[in-house]
Amino acid sequence: QVQDVESGGGLVQAGGSLRLSCAVPGSSVSFNVMGWYRGAPGTQRELVARITTGGVTFYPDSLRGRFTISRSYAKNIPYQQMDNQKPEDTAEYYCSFGEYSGSVCQSQSWGPGTRVTVSS
């Protein structure tokens, strides 16, 4: 498992914004989908947003409109813009690089996560 490294987390007041970024994965990582997930350590992670290497995005309905995923074509890494943040957005955020065949994830690499805390 290759360790991706996230950055950009921190403390923000409700209504504020943060932008997360992810380090370039190792050359041994094969992927066609990049994504951001969140959750508490040791718990099941919730999908925040996903983008394919072709630029197609997907968001859960609950987060659509406040979160925007984008990618650097030069570095082939994802960014996550989070606006109008709410206290319930407080979580560890993880960058992910996955190899998908259709809808089936065949392999996935994760970073250690970056903490986002939203104060009310």
Coordinates of all heavy atoms in Angstrom, one line a residue, residues 4-89:
D4 N -0.4 7.9 0.3 CA -0.6 9.2 -0.2 C -0.5 10.2 0.9 O -0.8 9.8 2.1 CB -2.0 9.3 -0.9 CG -2.3 8.1 -1.8 OD1 -1.3 7.6 -2.4 OD2 -3.4 7.6 -1.8
V5 N -0.2 11.4 0.7 CA -0.1 12.3 1.8 C -1.1 13.5 1.5 O -0.9 14.2 0.5 CB 1.3 12.9 1.9 CG1 1.4 13.9 3.0 CG2 2.3 11.7 2.2
E6 N -2.0 13.7 2.4 CA -2.9 14.8 2.3 C -2.4 16.0 3.0 O -1.6 15.9 3.9 CB -4.3 14.4 2.9 CG -4.9 13.2 2.3 CD -4.5 11.9 3.0 OE1 -3.5 11.9 3.8 OE2 -5.1 10.9 2.8
S7 N -2.9 17.2 2.6 CA -2.6 18.4 3.3 C -3.7 19.4 3.1 O -4.6 19.2 2.2 CB -1.3 19.0 2.7 OG -1.4 19.4 1.4
G8 N -3.7 20.4 3.9 CA -4.8 21.4 3.8 C -5.8 21.4 4.9 O -6.7 22.3 4.9
G9 N -5.8 20.4 5.7 CA -6.7 20.3 6.8 C -6.4 21.3 7.9 O -5.4 22.1 7.8
G10 N -7.3 21.4 8.9 CA -7.1 22.4 10.0 C -8.4 22.8 10.6 O -9.4 22.1 10.5
L11 N -8.3 23.9 11.3 CA -9.5 24.4 12.0 C -10.1 25.5 11.3 O -9.4 26.4 10.8 CB -9.1 24.9 13.4 CG -10.2 25.5 14.3 CD1 -11.3 24.5 14.6 CD2 -9.5 26.1 15.5
V12 N -11.4 25.4 11.1 CA -12.2 26.5 10.4 C -13.5 26.7 11.1 O -14.1 25.8 11.7 CB -12.4 26.1 8.9 CG1 -13.3 24.8 8.8 CG2 -12.9 27.2 8.1
Q13 N -14.0 28.0 11.0 CA -15.3 28.3 11.6 C -16.4 27.8 10.7 O -16.2 27.8 9.4 CB -15.4 29.8 11.9 CG -14.5 30.2 13.1 CD -14.8 31.7 13.5 OE1 -15.2 32.5 12.6 NE2 -14.6 32.0 14.7
A14 N -17.5 27.6 11.2 CA -18.7 27.2 10.4 C -18.9 28.3 9.4 O -18.9 29.5 9.7 CB -19.9 27.0 11.3
G15 N -19.2 27.9 8.1 CA -19.4 28.9 7.0 C -18.1 29.1 6.3 O -18.2 29.7 5.2
G16 N -17.0 28.7 6.8 CA -15.7 29.0 6.2 C -15.4 27.9 5.1 O -16.2 27.0 4.8
S17 N -14.2 28.0 4.6 CA -13.7 27.2 3.5 C -12.3 26.6 3.7 O -11.5 27.2 4.4 CB -13.7 27.9 2.2 OG -15.0 28.4 1.8
L18 N -12.1 25.4 3.2 CA -10.8 24.8 3.2 C -10.6 24.1 1.9 O -11.5 23.8 1.2 CB -10.7 23.8 4.3 CG -10.4 24.2 5.7 CD1 -10.5 23.0 6.7 CD2 -9.1 24.9 5.9
R19 N -9.3 24.0 1.5 CA -9.0 23.3 0.3 C -7.9 22.2 0.6 O -6.9 22.5 1.1 CB -8.4 24.3 -0.8 CG -8.1 23.6 -2.2 CD -7.7 24.7 -3.1 NE -7.6 24.2 -4.5 CZ -6.4 24.1 -5.1 NH1 -5.3 24.4 -4.5 NH2 -6.4 23.6 -6.4
L20 N -8.3 21.0 0.3 CA -7.4 19.9 0.5 C -6.6 19.5 -0.7 O -7.2 19.6 -1.8 CB -8.2 18.7 1.0 CG -9.1 18.9 2.2 CD1 -9.7 17.5 2.6 CD2 -8.3 19.4 3.4
S21 N -5.4 19.1 -0.6 CA -4.6 18.6 -1.7 C -4.0 17.3 -1.3 O -3.9 16.9 -0.1 CB -3.6 19.6 -2.2 OG -2.7 19.9 -1.2
C22 N -3.5 16.6 -2.3 CA -2.9 15.3 -2.1 C -1.5 15.2 -2.8 O -1.4 15.8 -3.9 CB -3.8 14.2 -2.6 SG -3.4 12.5 -2.3
A23 N -0.6 14.6 -2.2 CA 0.7 14.4 -2.8 C 0.6 13.5 -4.0 O -0.3 12.7 -4.1 CB 1.8 13.9 -1.8
V24 N 1.6 13.6 -4.9 CA 1.7 12.7 -6.1 C 1.9 11.3 -5.6 O 2.8 11.1 -4.8 CB 2.8 13.2 -7.0 CG1 2.9 12.2 -8.2 CG2 2.6 14.6 -7.5
P25 N 1.1 10.3 -6.1 CA 1.3 9.0 -5.6 C 2.6 8.4 -6.2 O 3.2 8.9 -7.2 CB 0.1 8.2 -6.2 CG -0.3 9.0 -7.4 CD 0.0 10.5 -7.0
G26 N 3.1 7.3 -5.6 CA 4.2 6.6 -6.1 C 4.0 6.1 -7.5 O 2.9 5.8 -7.9
S27 N 5.1 5.9 -8.3 CA 5.0 5.5 -9.6 C 4.4 4.0 -9.7 O 4.0 3.6 -10.8 CB 6.4 5.5 -10.3 OG 7.3 4.7 -9.6
S28 N 4.4 3.3 -8.6 CA 3.9 1.9 -8.7 C 2.4 1.9 -8.5 O 1.8 0.8 -8.7 CB 4.5 1.1 -7.6 OG 4.2 1.6 -6.3
V29 N 1.8 3.0 -8.2 CA 0.3 3.1 -8.0 C -0.4 3.2 -9.4 O -0.2 4.2 -10.1 CB -0.1 4.2 -7.1 CG1 -1.6 4.3 -7.0 CG2 0.6 4.1 -5.7
S30 N -1.2 2.3 -9.7 CA -2.0 2.3 -10.9 C -3.4 2.8 -10.6 O -4.0 2.2 -9.7 CB -2.0 1.0 -11.6 OG -2.9 1.0 -12.7
F31 N -4.0 3.8 -11.2 CA -5.3 4.2 -10.9 C -6.0 4.9 -12.1 O -5.4 5.3 -13.0 CB -5.2 5.2 -9.7 CG -4.4 6.5 -10.0 CD1 -5.1 7.6 -10.5 CD2 -3.1 6.5 -9.9 CE1 -4.4 8.8 -10.8 CE2 -2.3 7.7 -10.2 CZ -3.0 8.8 -10.7
N32 N -7.3 4.9 -12.0 CA -8.1 5.6 -13.0 C -9.2 6.5 -12.3 O -10.0 7.1 -13.0 CB -8.7 4.7 -14.0 CG -9.5 3.5 -13.4 OD1 -9.8 3.5 -12.2 ND2 -9.7 2.5 -14.2
V33 N -9.2 6.4 -11.0 CA -10.2 7.2 -10.2 C -9.5 7.8 -9.0 O -8.7 7.1 -8.3 CB -11.4 6.4 -9.7 CG1 -12.3 7.2 -8.9 CG2 -12.1 5.8 -10.9
M34 N -9.7 9.1 -8.7 CA -9.1 9.7 -7.5 C -10.3 10.2 -6.7 O -11.4 10.6 -7.2 CB -8.3 10.9 -7.9 CG -7.1 10.5 -8.8 SD -6.2 12.0 -9.4 CE -7.2 12.5 -10.7
G35 N -10.1 10.1 -5.4 CA -11.3 10.5 -4.6 C -10.9 11.0 -3.2 O -9.7 10.9 -2.8
W36 N -11.9 11.6 -2.5 CA -11.7 12.0 -1.1 C -12.8 11.3 -0.3 O -14.0 11.2 -0.7 CB -11.9 13.5 -1.0 CG -10.7 14.2 -1.6 CD1 -10.6 14.8 -2.8 CD2 -9.5 14.6 -0.9 NE1 -9.4 15.4 -3.0 CE2 -8.7 15.3 -1.8 CE3 -9.0 14.3 0.4 CZ2 -7.4 15.7 -1.5 CZ3 -7.8 14.8 0.7 CH2 -7.0 15.5 -0.2
Y37 N -12.4 10.8 0.8 CA -13.3 10.1 1.8 C -13.1 10.8 3.1 O -12.1 11.5 3.4 CB -13.0 8.6 1.9 CG -13.3 7.8 0.6 CD1 -12.5 7.9 -0.5 CD2 -14.4 7.0 0.6 CE1 -12.8 7.2 -1.6 CE2 -14.7 6.2 -0.5 CZ -13.9 6.3 -1.6 OH -14.2 5.6 -2.7
R38 N -14.0 10.5 4.0 CA -13.9 11.0 5.4 C -14.4 10.1 6.4 O -15.3 9.2 6.1 CB -14.6 12.4 5.5 CG -16.1 12.4 5.5 CD -16.7 13.8 5.6 NE -18.1 13.7 5.6 CZ -18.9 14.8 5.6 NH1 -18.3 16.1 5.5 NH2 -20.2 14.7 5.6
G39 N -14.0 10.2 7.6 CA -14.4 9.3 8.7 C -13.6 9.4 9.9 O -12.6 10.1 9.9
A40 N -13.9 8.7 10.9 CA -13.1 8.6 12.1 C -12.2 7.4 11.9 O -12.5 6.4 11.3 CB -14.0 8.4 13.3
P41 N -10.9 7.5 12.5 CA -10.0 6.4 12.4 C -10.6 5.1 12.9 O -11.3 5.1 13.9 CB -8.8 6.8 13.3 CG -8.9 8.3 13.2 CD -10.4 8.7 13.2
G42 N -10.5 4.0 12.1 CA -11.0 2.8 12.5 C -12.5 2.5 12.1 O -13.0 1.5 12.4
T43 N -13.1 3.5 11.5 CA -14.5 3.4 11.1 C -14.6 3.3 9.6 O -13.7 3.7 8.9 CB -15.4 4.5 11.7 OG1 -15.0 5.7 11.1 CG2 -15.2 4.6 13.2
Q44 N -15.8 3.0 9.1 CA -16.0 2.9 7.6 C -16.0 4.4 7.1 O -16.6 5.2 7.7 CB -17.3 2.3 7.3 CG -17.5 2.1 5.8 CD -18.7 1.1 5.5 OE1 -19.3 0.5 6.4 NE2 -19.0 1.0 4.2
R45 N -15.3 4.5 6.0 CA -15.1 5.9 5.5 C -16.3 6.2 4.5 O -16.8 5.3 3.8 CB -13.8 6.0 4.7 CG -12.6 5.9 5.7 CD -11.3 5.6 5.0 NE -10.2 5.4 6.0 CZ -9.0 5.1 5.7 NH1 -8.7 4.9 4.4 NH2 -8.1 4.9 6.6
E46 N -16.7 7.5 4.5 CA -17.8 8.0 3.7 C -17.2 8.6 2.5 O -16.3 9.5 2.6 CB -18.6 9.0 4.5 CG -19.6 9.7 3.7 CD -20.2 10.9 4.5 OE1 -19.6 11.4 5.4 OE2 -21.3 11.3 4.1
L47 N -17.7 8.3 1.3 CA -17.3 9.0 0.1 C -17.7 10.5 0.1 O -18.8 10.8 0.4 CB -17.9 8.3 -1.1 CG -17.6 9.0 -2.5 CD1 -16.1 8.9 -2.8 CD2 -18.4 8.4 -3.6
V48 N -16.7 11.3 -0.1 CA -17.0 12.8 -0.2 C -17.1 13.2 -1.7 O -18.0 13.9 -2.0 CB -15.8 13.6 0.4 CG1 -16.0 15.1 0.2 CG2 -15.8 13.3 1.9
A49 N -16.2 12.7 -2.5 CA -16.3 13.1 -3.9 C -15.3 12.2 -4.7 O -14.3 11.7 -4.1 CB -15.9 14.5 -4.2
R50 N -15.5 12.0 -6.0 CA -14.7 11.2 -6.8 C -14.5 11.8 -8.2 O -15.5 12.5 -8.7 CB -15.4 9.8 -6.9 CG -14.5 8.7 -7.3 CD -15.2 7.3 -7.0 NE -16.5 7.2 -7.5 CZ -17.4 6.5 -7.0 NH1 -17.2 5.9 -5.8 NH2 -18.6 6.3 -7.6
I51 N -13.4 11.6 -8.8 CA -13.1 12.2 -10.1 C -12.3 11.1 -10.9 O -11.3 10.6 -10.3 CB -12.4 13.5 -10.1 CG1 -12.3 14.1 -11.5 CG2 -11.1 13.5 -9.4 CD1 -11.9 15.6 -11.5
T52 N -12.7 10.9 -12.1 CA -11.9 10.0 -12.9 C -10.7 10.7 -13.6 O -10.7 11.9 -13.6 CB -12.7 9.3 -14.0 OG1 -13.1 10.3 -15.0 CG2 -14.0 8.7 -13.5
T53 N -9.8 10.0 -14.1 CA -8.6 10.6 -14.8 C -9.1 11.3 -16.0 O -8.4 12.1 -16.6 CB -7.6 9.5 -15.1 OG1 -8.2 8.4 -15.8 CG2 -6.9 9.0 -13.9
G54 N -10.3 11.0 -16.5 CA -10.9 11.7 -17.6 C -11.7 12.9 -17.2 O -12.2 13.6 -18.1
G55 N -11.8 13.2 -15.9 CA -12.4 14.4 -15.4 C -13.9 14.3 -15.0 O -14.6 15.3 -14.7
V56 N -14.5 13.1 -15.0 CA -15.9 12.9 -14.7 C -16.0 12.8 -13.1 O -15.3 12.1 -12.5 CB -16.4 11.6 -15.3 CG1 -17.9 11.3 -14.8 CG2 -16.3 11.6 -16.8
T57 N -16.9 13.7 -12.6 CA -17.0 13.8 -11.1 C -18.3 13.1 -10.6 O -19.2 12.9 -11.4 CB -17.0 15.2 -10.7 OG1 -18.1 15.9 -11.3 CG2 -15.7 15.9 -11.1
F58 N -18.2 12.8 -9.4 CA -19.4 12.2 -8.7 C -19.4 12.7 -7.2 O -18.4 12.7 -6.6 CB -19.3 10.7 -8.7 CG -20.4 10.0 -7.9 CD1 -21.7 9.9 -8.4 CD2 -20.2 9.6 -6.6 CE1 -22.7 9.4 -7.6 CE2 -21.2 9.1 -5.8 CZ -22.5 9.0 -6.3
Y59 N -20.6 13.1 -6.8 CA -20.8 13.5 -5.4 C -22.0 12.8 -4.8 O -23.0 12.7 -5.5 CB -21.0 15.0 -5.3 CG -20.0 15.9 -5.9 CD1 -20.0 16.3 -7.3 CD2 -18.9 16.3 -5.2 CE1 -19.1 17.1 -7.8 CE2 -17.9 17.1 -5.7 CZ -18.0 17.5 -7.1 OH -17.0 18.3 -7.6
P60 N -21.9 12.5 -3.5 CA -23.1 12.0 -2.9 C -24.1 13.2 -2.8 O -23.7 14.4 -2.7 CB -22.7 11.6 -1.5 CG -21.2 11.5 -1.6 CD -20.7 12.4 -2.7
D61 N -25.4 12.9 -2.9 CA -26.4 14.0 -2.9 C -26.3 14.9 -1.7 O -26.5 16.1 -1.7 CB -27.8 13.4 -2.9 CG -28.1 12.8 -4.3 OD1 -27.4 13.1 -5.3 OD2 -29.0 11.9 -4.4
S62 N -25.9 14.3 -0.5 CA -25.8 15.1 0.7 C -24.7 16.1 0.7 O -24.8 17.1 1.5 CB -25.6 14.2 1.9 OG -24.4 13.4 1.8
L63 N -23.7 16.0 -0.2 CA -22.6 16.9 -0.2 C -22.6 17.8 -1.5 O -21.7 18.7 -1.6 CB -21.3 16.2 0.0 CG -21.1 15.4 1.3 CD1 -19.8 14.7 1.3 CD2 -21.2 16.4 2.5
R64 N -23.4 17.5 -2.4 CA -23.4 18.2 -3.7 C -23.7 19.6 -3.4 O -24.6 20.0 -2.7 CB -24.5 17.6 -4.6 CG -24.4 18.0 -6.0 CD -25.5 17.4 -6.8 NE -25.5 15.9 -6.7 CZ -24.8 15.1 -7.4 NH1 -24.1 15.6 -8.4 NH2 -24.9 13.8 -7.3
G65 N -22.9 20.5 -4.0 CA -23.1 22.0 -3.9 C -22.1 22.6 -3.0 O -21.8 23.8 -3.2
R66 N -21.7 22.0 -1.9 CA -20.7 22.6 -1.0 C -19.3 22.1 -1.2 O -18.4 22.8 -0.9 CB -21.1 22.3 0.5 CG -22.4 22.9 0.9 CD -22.6 22.8 2.4 NE -22.6 21.4 2.9 CZ -21.6 21.0 3.8 NH1 -20.6 21.8 4.1 NH2 -21.7 19.7 4.2
F67 N -19.2 20.9 -1.8 CA -17.8 20.3 -2.0 C -17.6 20.2 -3.5 O -18.5 19.8 -4.2 CB -17.7 19.0 -1.3 CG -17.7 19.0 0.2 CD1 -18.0 20.1 0.9 CD2 -17.3 17.8 0.8 CE1 -17.9 20.1 2.3 CE2 -17.2 17.8 2.2 CZ -17.5 18.9 2.9
T68 N -16.4 20.6 -3.9 CA -16.0 20.5 -5.3 C -14.7 19.8 -5.5 O -13.7 20.3 -4.9 CB -15.9 21.9 -5.9 OG1 -17.2 22.6 -5.7 CG2 -15.6 21.8 -7.4
I69 N -14.6 18.7 -6.2 CA -13.4 18.0 -6.5 C -12.9 18.5 -7.8 O -13.6 18.7 -8.8 CB -13.6 16.5 -6.4 CG1 -12.2 15.8 -6.4 CG2 -14.5 16.0 -7.5 CD1 -12.3 14.3 -6.1
S70 N -11.6 18.6 -7.9 CA -10.9 19.0 -9.2 C -9.6 18.2 -9.2 O -9.2 17.5 -8.3 CB -10.7 20.5 -9.3 OG -9.8 20.9 -8.2
R71 N -8.9 18.4 -10.3 CA -7.7 17.6 -10.5 C -6.6 18.5 -11.2 O -6.9 19.4 -12.0 CB -7.9 16.4 -11.3 CG -8.5 16.6 -12.7 CD -8.4 15.4 -13.5 NE -7.0 15.2 -13.9 CZ -6.7 14.2 -14.8 NH1 -7.6 13.5 -15.3 NH2 -5.5 14.0 -15.1
S72 N -5.4 18.2 -10.9 CA -4.3 18.8 -11.6 C -3.9 17.9 -12.8 O -3.6 16.7 -12.5 CB -3.1 19.0 -10.7 OG -1.9 19.2 -11.5
Y73 N -4.1 18.3 -14.0 CA -3.7 17.5 -15.1 C -2.2 17.3 -15.2 O -1.7 16.3 -15.7 CB -4.3 18.1 -16.4 CG -5.7 17.8 -16.6 CD1 -6.7 18.7 -16.1 CD2 -6.2 16.7 -17.2 CE1 -8.0 18.5 -16.2 CE2 -7.5 16.4 -17.4 CZ -8.5 17.3 -16.8 OH -9.8 17.1 -17.0
A74 N -1.5 18.3 -14.7 CA 0.0 18.2 -14.8 C 0.5 17.1 -13.8 O 1.4 16.4 -14.1 CB 0.6 19.5 -14.5
K75 N -0.1 17.2 -12.6 CA 0.4 16.3 -11.5 C -0.5 15.0 -11.4 O -0.1 14.1 -10.7 CB 0.5 17.0 -10.2 CG 1.5 18.2 -10.2 CD 1.4 18.8 -8.8 CE 2.4 20.0 -8.8 NZ 2.4 20.7 -7.5
N76 N -1.7 15.1 -12.0 CA -2.6 14.0 -11.8 C -2.9 13.7 -10.4 O -2.9 12.5 -9.9 CB -2.1 12.7 -12.5 CG -3.2 11.9 -13.1 OD1 -4.3 12.4 -13.3 ND2 -2.9 10.6 -13.4
I77 N -3.3 14.7 -9.6 CA -3.7 14.6 -8.2 C -5.0 15.3 -8.0 O -5.3 16.2 -8.8 CB -2.6 15.2 -7.3 CG1 -2.3 16.6 -7.6 CG2 -1.3 14.4 -7.3 CD1 -1.5 17.3 -6.5
P78 N -5.7 14.9 -7.0 CA -7.0 15.6 -6.8 C -6.9 16.7 -5.7 O -6.1 16.7 -4.9 CB -7.9 14.4 -6.2 CG -6.9 13.6 -5.4 CD -5.6 13.7 -6.2
Y79 N -7.8 17.7 -5.9 CA -8.0 18.7 -4.9 C -9.5 18.7 -4.4 O -10.3 18.2 -5.1 CB -7.7 20.1 -5.4 CG -6.3 20.3 -6.0 CD1 -6.0 20.2 -7.3 CD2 -5.2 20.5 -5.1 CE1 -4.7 20.3 -7.8 CE2 -4.0 20.7 -5.5 CZ -3.7 20.6 -6.9 OH -2.4 20.7 -7.4
Q80 N -9.7 19.1 -3.2 CA -11.0 19.1 -2.7 C -11.3 20.5 -2.1 O -10.7 20.9 -1.1 CB -11.2 18.1 -1.6 CG -12.6 18.0 -1.0 CD -13.6 17.5 -2.0 OE1 -13.5 16.5 -2.7 NE2 -14.7 18.3 -2.1
Q81 N -12.2 21.3 -2.7 CA -12.6 22.6 -2.2 C -13.9 22.3 -1.4 O -14.8 21.7 -1.8 CB -12.9 23.5 -3.3 CG -13.4 24.9 -2.9 CD -12.3 25.7 -2.2 OE1 -11.1 25.6 -2.5 NE2 -12.7 26.5 -1.2
M82 N -13.8 22.8 -0.1 CA -14.9 22.6 0.8 C -15.4 24.0 1.2 O -14.7 24.7 1.9 CB -14.5 21.8 2.0 CG -14.0 20.4 1.6 SD -13.6 19.3 2.9 CE -12.3 20.2 3.8
D83 N -16.6 24.4 0.9 CA -17.2 25.7 1.2 C -18.4 25.6 2.1 O -19.0 24.5 2.3 CB -17.6 26.4 -0.1 CG -16.5 26.6 -1.0 OD1 -15.4 27.0 -0.6 OD2 -16.7 26.4 -2.3
N84 N -18.7 26.7 2.8 CA -19.8 26.7 3.7 C -19.8 25.5 4.6 O -20.8 24.8 4.8 CB -21.2 26.8 2.9 CG -22.4 27.0 3.8 OD1 -22.2 27.6 4.9 ND2 -23.5 26.6 3.3
Q85 N -18.7 25.4 5.3 CA -18.5 24.2 6.1 C -19.4 24.2 7.4 O -19.7 25.3 7.9 CB -17.0 24.0 6.5 CG -16.2 23.7 5.3 CD -15.0 22.8 5.6 OE1 -13.9 23.3 5.7 NE2 -15.2 21.5 5.7
K86 N -19.8 23.0 7.8 CA -20.6 22.8 8.9 C -19.9 22.0 10.0 O -19.0 21.2 9.6 CB -21.9 22.1 8.5 CG -22.7 22.8 7.4 CD -23.9 22.0 7.0 CE -24.6 22.7 5.8 NZ -25.8 22.0 5.4
P87 N -20.3 22.1 11.2 CA -19.6 21.3 12.3 C -19.7 19.8 12.0 O -18.7 19.1 12.4 CB -20.5 21.6 13.5 CG -20.9 23.0 13.3 CD -21.2 23.1 11.8
E88 N -20.7 19.3 11.3 CA -20.8 17.9 11.0 C -19.8 17.5 9.9 O -19.7 16.3 9.7 CB -22.2 17.5 10.6 CG -22.8 18.3 9.5 CD -23.7 19.4 10.0 OE1 -23.3 20.1 11.0 OE2 -24.8 19.7 9.4
D89 N -19.1 18.4 9.3 CA -18.0 18.1 8.4 C -16.7 17.7 9.1 O -15.8 17.3 8.5 CB -17.7 19.2 7.4 CG -18.9 19.5 6.5 OD1 -19.6 18.6 6.1 OD2 -19.1 20.7 6.2

